[in-house]
Every structure is written in structure tokens, then in C-alpha cells.
Amino acid sequence: MEILKHDLLIIGSGIAGLRAAAQAAYTAKIDIAIISKVQVMRSHSVSAEGGMSAVLYPDKNNDSLDLHAYDTIKGSDYLADQDAVELLVRMAPLEVRYLERIGVPWSRHPDGRIYQRPFGGMSVPRTTFAADKTGFFIMSTLWQETLRFDNIKYYHEHFVTKLIIENGEFRGVTAIDLKTGELKLILAKAAIIATGGAGRLYRFTTTAHSTTGEMLGYAMRAGLALKDMEFVQWHPTALVPSGILVSEAARGEGGYLVNKEGERFMKRYAPQKMELAPRDIVSRAILTEIAEGRGFVHEESGMGYVGLDLRHLGEEVLNQKIPFIRELAHKYAGVDALSELIPVRPAVHYTMGGIHTDTYGRVLTPSGEWVKGLWAAGEAASVSVHGANRLGSNSLSECSVWGRLTGEQAAKYAMEAPAPSTDEKYIKIAQEEESRIFDKLLHKETNGISVYELKGRLQDTMEQHYGPFRHESTMKEGIPKLLKIREDFSRIRIEDGSRIYNQNLKDALELDGMIDVALAVAYGALARQESRGAHYRLDYPKRDDVNWLKHTLAYFVGGQLQLSYVPVRITKWTKFEERKY
Ligand SMILES: Cc1cc2nc3c(=O)[nH]c(=O)nc-3n(C[C@H](O)[C@H](O)[C@H](O)COP(=O)(O)OP(=O)(O)OC[C@H]3O[C@@H](n4cnc5c(N)ncnc54)[C@H](O)[C@@H]3O)c2cc1C
């Protein structure tokens, strides 16, 4: 078994991971490694479309840092930690300018100013973008930037199977080199977890196939806590029937939503903001229209949907501001957005919860102590700036800001920390992991359960029991189904018996972690007896600040999932209004 050592290990090569690597390299001449289960440019961040929020021109746009913070906190249904939000809005403009300096081609006004468009829940236009391929441009620029440093090493297509944490300190990970099937022990002084969200817990989702979130499950197994996992975001406009995202940029540029009667129905749900109300509100409005018979029905899939109308925007706006949307609608739904409605309905899009950290991204135990040497950033982390509902375009800002913050802190820490220990016990842990995976999981069980059948059952259970409209009775029925899926995992069948590029094995390892994450969502949702942001309960339709203005923590004690709660950090936004838009 190969044993490798680095000063700093960054797990994940999306925007958060790459930004962290760049900042660590600016901070210290240390040995940095980035590990990713996919090649860098296949990380989910590449598919981000609409843009990145930041206050760039307060005078011209009538904007301010306080207004951005207020929009984010109100959008979060008051569950965001306000000190973290203040940090986000203060640093986001610096990050937009940093990304510009290293080469991101932001879309611009003719006078050279960076263009900003309106986005849902934002009071003024503050979403900075590069056409509707923002993630692609940020990723390719950050990748290029990290390649300048000879002290950054990439482990592409290496799948992390376990976090090794001992006596409250990070020690290392085990990872499979997917190309060879070799298990490696990678020890490091410090690490940043930047492994993204868990959208694939659900079947109808806009997220990449790799956005499975197993690391969140592995984190719980390593004794860490997940925060606010019951808050799952549905994006209002996914293409029917594929689930491919039609970015909010389409509505930001002036697109309408219409039901089959041709009515702009958002006037009944959010009369002021209309289509640019926050995503939880627009998603529930669309689903209500469909449920009450005012939606269209997709012939082949039977899916209900509404129409996204871009026809009035004209060819120039479509081709210059949102060309990708026009292309996707044409390729995957067979419609020309210039003359036809685009068929859309809500799909799972984002994980508001994540690994429990403090404001600076330091990973905390369930009882609130820092796990020395460990940080988390991006969608995998819950710092928490999005609370119960994320505003569109705040995620790329979060990834960049906390990539920078964690990269700098971890590099400074690694400079001072002693070399990683190569004690025999870590080798033993890795050998046990190798045996768990290659002797026990990769066995030749011929009549076991298919990975894909079990994953399908997991996704269907999540769709049916923990969707956008929740109720105690349906959620209670979902728990035994999830527990049965957990039990059935021990009889999983892996058909590919080889070690080389064994996708079947990788899918099983993902599913293993996903089941635990699903349980955290389910138990958190069942326990929270109120409606807040994306967590909407038919049996408790109102927000309850007296009993539920608090974060949920989910973690394992003796193999059993437990919940506890920690307070929301409030700074100066103390008036918890009803969210009307
Ligand atoms: C279609 C779409 C469009 C979006 N558009 C926008 C937008 O315009 N603006 C906005 O603000 N937000 C947007 N979002 C949200 C935003 O894209 C994501 O929140 C953000 O890109 C997440 O970045 P990340 O760096 O945290 O993780 P990711 O980009 O998801 O990267 C995760 C990394 O972790 C690695 N990894 C995961 N598990 C393992 C493992 N077990 N072993 C090794 N490596 C592992 C992966 O290989 C990958 O490199 C969009 C989301 C979707 C679905």
C-alpha cells in the first residue's frame, strides 16, 4: 500500500477547493495536494450558470453591503448566521475582483463596468456573470492559476473512502485510485473538505451525477456533525423531462412563468417580486399550479410542468446574455425559446445544510470543539450563510470567500504543525479499509441487490416522503423504508469484480454514504415542527421563531443517529418579518 504525506490536503476540486488551493499557495510555500474523484473540469461547479453575487457599484445600483446582507438573511428565513453573512457580503466584492485579475471574463457594459443582473430575492441587480457559463469560466481560470504552482499536486480520479480523525485532530484519509484500484493512505497536517452537496439523494435534480454527498455521511462516521440537513433547495425551473437547469438568469433577464391558461400566476403568490421571488416560494407556486390542474402535462413522461416564456426578450438578449439556455432548451426539450415556451418544473438543486463549522469554516464536533487541522468550505460546509433557503448566486460567492478563508488559515496552520505521524495504527486503519472494500464489499455475491436498484429506492423514498411539501404522517412512513435500505446495503451486489476503473464499486461506496445523509435529512425534517424556507410542512404551515429559530445538528452516537440544536447567531437584523415578496 502506498503511503503519501502532504502538508495540506484539499478534498474536492470545485470552486471552493481550487480557490482554497490558490490561497494556500499564495500564503505559504507548503506541499499542497488536491484530491478529486473526477478530473478537475468535471467537478460540478463547471455547470454553474447564472452568476456570483457581490455589491460592486453601490452608488450606481443603489446597493450596499447591509442591503445584500438583509436580502440574504430574509431569504434564509432568518436561519442564517448573521456574522457569517456579514463576512460573505464584505468579501464577495474582493473575490469578484480577484477572479477578474486572474482572468475570469466577466460580462460587461459598453463603458467597461462589470454587468450585474437581477436574481431572485435580491433587492437590486448584483449578480455578476460570464454569459450563462459562469461556473465554467471561474473553474477554468482557477485551474490555470493553480497550475502555476509546482507545490500543488493533483490526485485526479481518486475517491476518498474514509476520514481519519483521532483525539480531536485530523490525521489523513484513505483513497482509491480509480484508475488502478489501489488503496492509498494519505496523511496530512491539515485538510479542507470541499466535496460539494448531495443533490443526487433525489431522482429529479439539476446536479451533476457526481453530486452524491457521500463525504457528508463519512464525516458523520468520523464523529462529525451535519447541520440543517432538512433544508433541501428545489430550483423552480428545471427542464422537463431531463431535469437540466434553466438558470434563474432567464427570469433575471425578464423571463415570465405562465400556466396553461397563459396567466403569469406568480402575481397571486409574490405580487411584488413575481418570478424573482426566492426559490422556495416560486417552486411551491409552480407545484401548486400543477396540482390544481393549471399546468401542462408532458406527453412522454407524464410530468406536470409550466411554461417559461422568453419570447418577448428577443434574439439579441437570448444570444448574448443567455445563449446556453437557448441551446439547452433546443437540444434537450426540442423548443426554440424565441418562439416557444420552455417546459419547466422544480427539481432538487442545492444542499443548504452541510458539515458543521464555525464562521471561519473550522470544522466543529457535535459539542462545538474545533477538530484541529480540519476545515470545510463550499456546498459541503454549513457555515451558515443560506439558512433555510439560499438566494441564487450566493453560492459561488460563498465558495470563493470560504475557499480563500480556509485556504489561508489551513496554510498558516500547516506551516507551524509537526510532520504527519506515520504511526503503525494509521497503516492498520488503511489495511482494514482495504479489506472492508475489496474483500467484503467487492465479493462475488450473485443474488444480492443491485446497487442501482437500491439507489433508485433511496431516491424514490426521498422524493415521496421528504419533498417540497412535507407532513408528519408521510415522513414517518419514510423512516422504516430508509432503515430497510440501510439493512439491504449489506447484501449489495457488485457485478464488476475487477479493480481497474470499477464504477460499480465507486457507485456502491457513494450509496453507502448517501444512505446516512438521507437519514440526517429525514430525521431532521420530521423533528422540525414548523415551516421555514425550503422546509414546508402542511401540518405546521407557519414559521415558529419561539421554538425553532435554531440549527439542527445530526451525528452518530453508538451507530444511532442523534439530533441536537445550536442557536442561530444574530448580530443586527433582529426584526424577523414575515417573508412577503
Ligand atoms: C446546474 C447548477 C447551476 C448552478 N448555478 C449557480 C450559479 O450560477 N450561481 C451560484 O451561486 N450557484 C450556482 N449553483 C450552485 C453551485 O454551482 C454549487 O453550490 C457550487 O458549484 C459547489 O461548489 P463546491 O466547490 O462546493 O463543490 P463541487 O463543485 O460540487 O465540487 C465537489 C468536488 O468534490 C469532489 N468529491 C466529492 N466526493 C468525493 C470523494 N468521495 N472523494 C474525492 N473527491 C470527492 C468532486 O470530485 C468535486 O471535485 C448551481 C448549481 C447547479 C446544480
Side-chain angles (χ1 to χ4, degrees):
M1 177 190 309
E2 198 173 357
I3 302 168
L4 299 150
K5 285 197 281 182
H6 295 283
D7 292 328
L8 171 60
L9 180 66
I10 296 169
I11 313 171
S13 64
I15 291 176
L18 294 185
R19 181 67 187 93
Q23 194 64 29
Y26 305 143
T27 306
K29 184 88 184 146
I30 52 168
D31 168 9
I32 302 163
I34 303 179
I35 187 163
S36 168
K37 66 181 177 179
V38 296
Q39 193 276 344
V40 180
M41 288 301 284
R42 293 185 70 88
S43 295
H44 162 73
S45 287
V46 168
S47 56
E49 295 176 19
M52 167 168 173
S53 61
V55 178
L56 294 186
Y57 306 107
D59 296 340
K60 283 214 158 55
N61 286 0
N62 253 337
D63 204 359
S64 70
L65 298 183
D66 269 6
L67 188 57
H68 187 184
Y70 166 76
D71 288 344
T72 303
I73 291 162
K74 182 177 172 192
S76 83
D77 223 347
Y78 298 94
L79 196 71
D81 283 326
Q82 298 186 1
D83 56 350
V85 174
E86 289 187 70
L87 193 54
L88 172 82
V89 302
R90 213 168 56 234
M91 292 194 61
L94 305 178
E95 287 304 290
V96 168
R97 299 217 154 89
Y98 157 79
L99 290 169
E100 176 180 47
R101 264 200 318 281
I102 64 166
V104 172
W106 296 122
S107 296
R108 290 178 180 279
H109 288 279
D111 66 5
R113 261 180 311 130
I114 294 173
Y115 199 101
Q116 296 197 291
R117 64 178 150 219
F119 243 58
M122 302 281 190
S123 298
V124 297
R126 63 165 79 93
T127 298
T128 312
F129 57 94
D132 50 3
K133 298 179 184 171
T134 309
F136 167 80
F137 286 115
I138 297 179
M139 281 290 291
S140 39
T141 309
L142 277 174
W143 186 28
Q144 252 180 0
E145 179 68 2
T146 59
L147 289 176
R148 289 200 303 119
F149 294 91
D150 57 10
N151 55 329
I152 299 182
K153 178 180 168 56
Y154 274 98
Y155 293 100
H156 298 283
E157 299 183 318
H158 278 62
F159 186 98
V160 173
T161 68
K162 188 182 182 69
L163 297 168
I164 305 174
I165 293 168
E166 187 203 39
N167 300 330
E169 276 189 50
F170 173 80
R171 301 291 183 199
V173 301
T174 54
I176 300 173
D177 181 346
L178 295 171
K179 299 180 286 299
T180 60
E182 185 195 353
L183 189 120
K184 298 177 181 175
L185 171 63
I186 308 180
L187 301 165
K189 298 174 180 177
I192 300 169
I193 303 174
T195 48
R200 289 276 152 185
L201 287 182
Y202 290 79
R203 199 181 271 282
F204 195 61
T205 171
T206 60
T207 60
H209 283 276
S210 56
T211 307
T212 39
E214 67 281 357
M215 195 56 62
L216 304 181
Y218 300 170
M220 282 201 292
R221 285 185 199 175
L224 306 178
L226 302 185
K227 187 157 72 202
D228 293 338
M229 289 305 293
E230 61 269 34
F231 297 101
V232 174
Q233 178 162 83
W234 275 263
H235 191 291
T237 58
L239 207 56
V240 171
S242 64
I244 293 172
L245 179 74
V246 180
S247 167
E248 199 163 305
R251 285 170 285 136
E253 293 296 343
Y256 306 148
L257 288 169
V258 292
N259 60 21
K260 76 170 179 200
E261 285 145 26
E263 182 203 15
R264 273 182 80 185
F265 55 86
M266 281 310 299
K267 67 176 181 238
R268 285 186 274 109
Y269 301 88
Q272 285 170 29
K273 284 262 169 201
M274 299 286 284
E275 285 83 0
L276 287 177
R279 290 172 176 176
D280 54 334
I281 292 172
V282 183
S283 290
R284 284 194 290 272
I286 294 175
L287 291 169
T288 305
E289 289 301 295
I290 295 169
E292 291 179 358
R294 291 185 295 278
F296 303 89
V297 179
H298 186 258
E299 261 182 36
E300 280 163 39
S301 65
M303 278 181 179
Y305 69 88
V306 297
L308 175 63
D309 192 351
L310 306 183
R311 294 173 295 186
H312 54 288
L313 299 183
E315 195 147 21
E316 198 180 319
V317 171
L318 290 190
N319 290 348
Q320 283 180 18
K321 302 278 176 52
I322 44 177
F324 192 42
I325 291 172
R326 187 174 184 192
E327 187 186 323
L328 288 174
H330 189 248
K331 273 196 188 148
Y332 295 97
V335 299
D336 181 357
L338 192 59
S339 54
E340 292 164 283
L341 297 179
I342 304 179
V344 292
R345 64 172 285 134
V348 166
H349 183 66
Y350 188 82
T351 311
M352 260 79 72
I355 295 173
H356 178 37
T357 72
D358 69 6
T359 311
Y360 301 99
R362 293 187 301 186
V363 172
L364 303 177
T365 63
S367 50
E369 290 96 36
W370 177 42
V371 178
K372 277 176 87 183
L374 191 58
W375 285 260
E379 197 172 334
S382 174
V383 291
S384 109
V385 288
H386 311 302
N389 174 63
R390 173 179 74 97
L391 294 189
S393 74
N394 265 351
S395 171
L396 297 189
S397 320
E398 182 199 8
C399 288
S400 201
V401 167
W402 270 271
R404 169 183 178 159
L405 289 170
T406 57
E408 183 172 335
Q409 292 169 78
K412 286 183 178 160
Y413 175 90
M415 260 195 315
E416 305 293 326
S421 151
T422 45
D423 196 301
E424 273 294 315
K425 65 187 163 199
Y426 305 123
I427 299 171
K428 189 152 178 283
I429 289 173
Q431 284 165 343
E432 281 168 8
E433 186 65 353
E434 186 162 34
S435 161
R436 176 182 81 90
I437 294 167
F438 292 103
D439 302 336
K440 299 191 184 117
L441 201 55
L442 191 65
H443 54 52
K444 299 279 188 302
E445 175 95 59
T446 46
N447 52 5
I449 301 168
S450 137
V451 175
Y452 307 102
E453 183 199 322
L454 203 58
K455 186 170 172 182
R457 265 169 57 197
L458 179 77
Q459 291 173 325
D460 288 344
T461 306
M462 295 308 286
E463 293 275 354
Q464 283 163 21
H465 298 272
Y466 307 97
F469 293 97
R470 300 169 172 178
H471 191 282
E472 178 166 310
S473 57
T474 41
M475 287 195 286
K476 271 191 170 156
E477 281 165 23
I479 302 270
K481 291 188 185 178
L482 292 176
L483 293 174
K484 180 78 173 79
I485 291 169
R486 166 48 69 221
E487 189 189 317
D488 286 350
F489 185 81
S490 59
R491 293 188 289 115
I492 204 95
R493 180 177 83 232
I494 294 172
E495 278 154 40
D496 182 349
S498 78
R499 281 199 172 216
I500 294 168
Y501 262 126
N502 190 335
Q503 291 295 312
N504 201 188
L505 174 64
K506 180 205 65 100
D507 293 341
L509 291 169
E510 285 176 346
L511 178 59
D512 191 15
M514 288 167 79
I515 299 170
D516 289 343
V517 184
L519 285 165
V521 175
Y523 279 107
L526 180 59
R528 186 173 281 274
Q529 295 179 330
E530 65 158 353
S531 290
R532 184 183 294 271
H535 172 69
Y536 187 82
R537 288 200 43 167
L538 296 161
D539 46 348
Y540 295 95
K542 291 250 178 298
R543 194 176 76 205
D544 174 359
D545 290 329
V546 175
N547 296 301
W548 289 102
L549 184 62
K550 55 189 179 185
H551 297 292
T552 309
L553 295 185
Y555 47 92
F556 285 129
V557 177
Q560 296 297 313
L561 196 119
Q562 300 236 332
L563 300 180
S564 63
Y565 296 89
V566 288
V568 174
R569 289 192 300 273
I570 311 285
T571 57
K572 59 184 183 190
W573 288 272
T574 51
K575 204 169 141 237
F576 305 131
E577 310 157 35
E578 193 187 337
R579 277 167 81 229
K580 286 199 175 137
Y581 288 93

